[in-house]
Amino acid sequence: MKYLKQLFPILQWMPHYQRKWLYGDLSAGLTVGVMLVPQGMAYAMIAGLPPVYGLYAALVPQLIYALMGTSRQLSVAPVAMDSLLVAAGVSVLATQGTAEYITFSLLLAFFVGFFQILLGSARLGFITNLLARPVISGFTSAAAFIIGINQLKYFLGVDLERSSQLVTVLWDAIKSLPEIHWLTFFIGLLAILIIKALKVVNGKIPGALVVVVVGIVAVYLSGWSDQGVRIVGEIPGGLPQFTLPNLDLSVFMSLAPLAGTIALVAFMEAYSVAKAIEARRRNYDVKPNQELLAIGSANLVGALFQSYPVTGGFSRSAVNDQAGAHTQLSSVISAMLVALVLLFLTPLFYYLPQAVLAAIIMVAVAKLVDVKYAINLFKTNRSEFVLLLITFLATLQFGMVEGIVSGVVLSILMMLYRIAYPHIAVLGRLQGYFEFRNIRRFSDLETWPELLLVRVDAPMIFVNVQYIRDFVLKELEKRPTVQTIILDANAISHVDATALEALMQLRNTLHERGIRLMYAELVGPVRDMLHKSGLIADIKEDVFLDMNEAVNYIVNKEPPQHGKEALQSN
């Protein structure tokens, strides 16, 4: 039973459900459901799929996540970014509008779910830490531009080439300016203005739904569809059918890179939203590995019911939270509303202008461009700003997958660079205190010509041990009177086998010069390594509990008071 409760968190909160929560869940569920209908159809268009697939993707995945998710307000359904990733990747394998394209998109959801479940089962939720905030910000900002530009064909009423490269679509749009269908452009522009105005008047008014209703009524009464305004047309009614995927190895190999990328990006987006809401609510814990299993299952099972890749969306989840959702019952209610639309209301969307859906998308993705964060990084951390900028430009120039991969690779290289060249400080003692500080940052520190005190602010591993060794030797060249080196190891959290060997070589080199190497404030894991390797026996006379004891031992000939404690493993 304990395992079932872990796998299906609904079993934890449902038995304790309180009647007072029902109004909030019902209100939030209806609000998000109303949002999902136009939003789902719009995002399906981004993915290059018929609008009805956006409704399919808003049905079963929500129900699966309600059973397995640890966030009680996260709304799992189609999102703009993943939809564009689908279009960017699948369009390489098949032509949009064909049955083959739809098949590949549904298979992609199956493989995305498979990868996410695999990661969750292996407890690899931490892998999303590879996606640093500057990488995500640069990627999402570029993705917003690409998504918005790709809506120009519907917004302007012209035929444009669909591409994940901004320059290609923009240049095609410029060449097509003389062919603009002005009535379509007017409808799209008016839809944007209405959504923005309603947001100012009352943020709770579902602007997307309002412009959908107004657009349908206007086109139906005016006959604008006969004047060239493109409409959604017939949307198949009925619930999605259960279909087993045709798992072909060659197709899997073609879709695997894209599926892996979407699996990570989608989870990162959902998890960041869920953690933000958790921090505000503070009455439950979001568990990353279970979230991978939940979102992965939503994708995998959803694919069996004609869903393309989904994840937790920021805007919907925020609305769900603000509308009063207490539990995932709100998502069940949202899914029921979508089911009612599929069963009975799809004919009402026949006259929906495509320009209105394009307007909804443009307004939604505009929020993804985080200019304030970029400016703040430029002021405070230029290297991470460069990381954001390169990811942004790579995504615009080469495409979505290439952009996120380049950002991840570059962030890993930057991390390795920082580890390879860690901060190392030469220390002195504060006058009248037992504290030691960097001589470059503090004045009037107590130093001794026969002593060199060094602090390494990083783990000692094969990547940086040569740099640390060279730093010590260069400092010795500046201080020919030094007879003892004391290594402050308080910030060294780990020492690998290569570093241990290099430390002993350095110790021998210094010994040949008549210089003693001593160690202070070794943390537990490092002492464990020294005991396991047997090196503790060779250096035990040179290990001290803290820097002050080590300095006093050399300068004042005071015997250490905590000799045994300094050597203890763990």
Side-chain angles (χ1 to χ4, degrees), residues 362-427:
M362 287 179 168
V363 172
V365 299
K367 302 171 186 175
L368 296 176
V369 182
D370 196 346
V371 178
K372 290 183 179 178
Y373 180 69
I375 293 173
N376 184 56
L377 273 188
F378 180 78
K379 293 177 179 178
T380 59
N381 194 321
R382 293 292 174 87
S383 61
E384 294 204 348
F385 173 77
V386 170
L387 178 60
L388 182 153
L389 186 62
I390 290 176
T391 305
F392 177 80
L393 295 175
T395 304
L396 289 183
Q397 179 59 34
F398 302 110
M400 304 272 290
V401 176
E402 294 83 356
I404 194 72
V405 169
S406 65
V408 169
V409 170
L410 188 58
S411 61
I412 292 174
L413 289 176
M414 287 179 64
M415 178 184 67
L416 289 175
Y417 179 85
R418 288 169 181 160
I419 294 175
Y421 299 98
H423 178 260
I424 305 176
V426 176
L427 306 177

Side-chain angles (χ1 to χ4, degrees), residues 317-470:
S317 300
V319 168
N320 197 34
D321 181 35
Q322 293 166 8
H326 291 281
T327 69
Q328 279 292 347
L329 181 61
S330 63
S331 291
V332 175
I333 294 168
S334 296
M336 290 172 61
L337 185 60
V338 172
L340 287 174
V341 170
L342 282 167
L343 286 171
F344 306 111
L345 303 179
T346 51
L348 297 179
F349 295 94
Y350 183 90
Y351 288 100
L352 174 61
Q354 292 183 351
V356 168
L357 290 179
I360 293 171
I361 293 168
M362 287 179 168
V363 172
V365 299
K367 302 171 186 175
L368 296 176
V369 182
D370 196 346
V371 178
K372 290 183 179 178
Y373 180 69
I375 293 173
N376 184 56
L377 273 188
F378 180 78
K379 293 177 179 178
T380 59
N381 194 321
R382 293 292 174 87
S383 61
E384 294 204 348
F385 173 77
V386 170
L387 178 60
L388 182 153
L389 186 62
I390 290 176
T391 305
F392 177 80
L393 295 175
T395 304
L396 289 183
Q397 179 59 34
F398 302 110
M400 304 272 290
V401 176
E402 294 83 356
I404 194 72
V405 169
S406 65
V408 169
V409 170
L410 188 58
S411 61
I412 292 174
L413 289 176
M414 287 179 64
M415 178 184 67
L416 289 175
Y417 179 85
R418 288 169 181 160
I419 294 175
Y421 299 98
H423 178 260
I424 305 176
V426 176
L427 306 177
R429 186 165 60 186
L430 288 170
Q431 297 283 354
Y433 294 90
F434 297 147
E435 300 292 328
F436 292 80
R437 293 291 184 266
N438 189 341
I439 61 173
R440 292 185 178 180
R441 294 178 179 269
F442 288 79
S443 59
D444 196 29
L445 293 175
E446 188 178 4
T447 59
W448 303 267
E450 71 274 24
L451 278 180
L452 172 61
L453 313 180
V454 177
R455 187 187 71 223
V456 178
D457 294 329
M460 287 185 68
I461 56 177
F462 66 98
V463 176
N464 60 23
V465 68
Q466 187 63 41
Y467 173 75
I468 296 170
R469 177 184 180 277
D470 291 344

Side-chain angles (χ1 to χ4, degrees), residues 34-191:
V34 165
M35 277 184 69
L36 260 176
V37 173
Q39 200 179 66
M41 291 192 293
Y43 291 161
M45 287 174 58
I46 295 178
L49 295 165
V52 71
Y53 284 90
L55 299 180
Y56 293 161
L59 186 56
V60 173
Q62 283 201 97
L63 298 175
I64 298 299
Y65 184 82
L67 295 173
M68 301 183 67
T70 56
S71 172
R72 301 188 186 173
Q73 286 79 33
L74 190 68
S75 175
V76 173
V79 297
M81 192 187 311
D82 289 0
S83 298
L84 187 59
L85 279 170
V86 171
V90 178
S91 59
V92 177
L93 304 174
T95 304
Q96 288 188 15
T98 63
E100 188 180 29
Y101 185 94
I102 295 173
T103 300
F104 283 155
S105 299
L106 304 186
L107 274 174
L108 182 62
F110 188 88
F111 294 143
V112 166
F114 171 75
F115 282 131
Q116 289 173 332
I117 291 173
L118 197 64
L119 290 171
S121 301
R123 306 188 66 80
L124 295 176
F126 68 87
I127 200 170
T128 55
N129 293 334
L130 293 175
L131 298 174
R133 173 73 190 280
V135 172
I136 291 294
S137 181
F139 173 72
T140 52
S141 295
F145 278 102
I146 296 171
I147 293 168
I149 292 297
N150 270 289
Q151 297 313 300
L152 286 178
K153 63 181 295 184
Y154 306 110
F155 197 79
L156 303 177
V158 296
D159 292 320
L160 300 177
E161 178 183 352
R162 177 180 286 273
S163 174
S164 61
Q165 297 178 355
L166 180 71
V167 176
T168 302
V169 182
L170 197 56
W171 177 242
D172 199 20
I174 292 172
K175 290 191 296 183
S176 302
L177 285 177
E179 304 169 14
I180 290 178
H181 190 270
W182 290 103
L183 181 55
T184 298
F185 174 73
F186 171 76
I187 292 172
L189 184 61
L190 188 61

Side-chain angles (χ1 to χ4, degrees), residues 175-255:
K175 290 191 296 183
S176 302
L177 285 177
E179 304 169 14
I180 290 178
H181 190 270
W182 290 103
L183 181 55
T184 298
F185 174 73
F186 171 76
I187 292 172
L189 184 61
L190 188 61
I192 290 177
L193 294 176
I194 290 174
I195 293 172
K196 290 288 189 181
L198 290 176
K199 186 72 175 177
V200 173
V201 173
N202 189 336
K204 294 183 178 180
I205 299 175
L209 184 65
V210 171
V211 295
V212 164
V213 172
V214 171
I216 291 171
V217 172
V219 172
Y220 175 75
L221 295 178
S222 65
W224 284 342
S225 58
D226 297 327
Q227 300 176 35
V229 174
R230 299 177 184 179
I231 57 177
V232 169
E234 186 176 352
I235 298 176
L239 300 177
Q241 300 297 311
F242 175 81
T243 308
L244 287 173
N246 182 15
L247 300 178
D248 184 88
L249 181 60
S250 61
V251 175
F252 173 76
M253 296 304 293
S254 300
L255 290 174

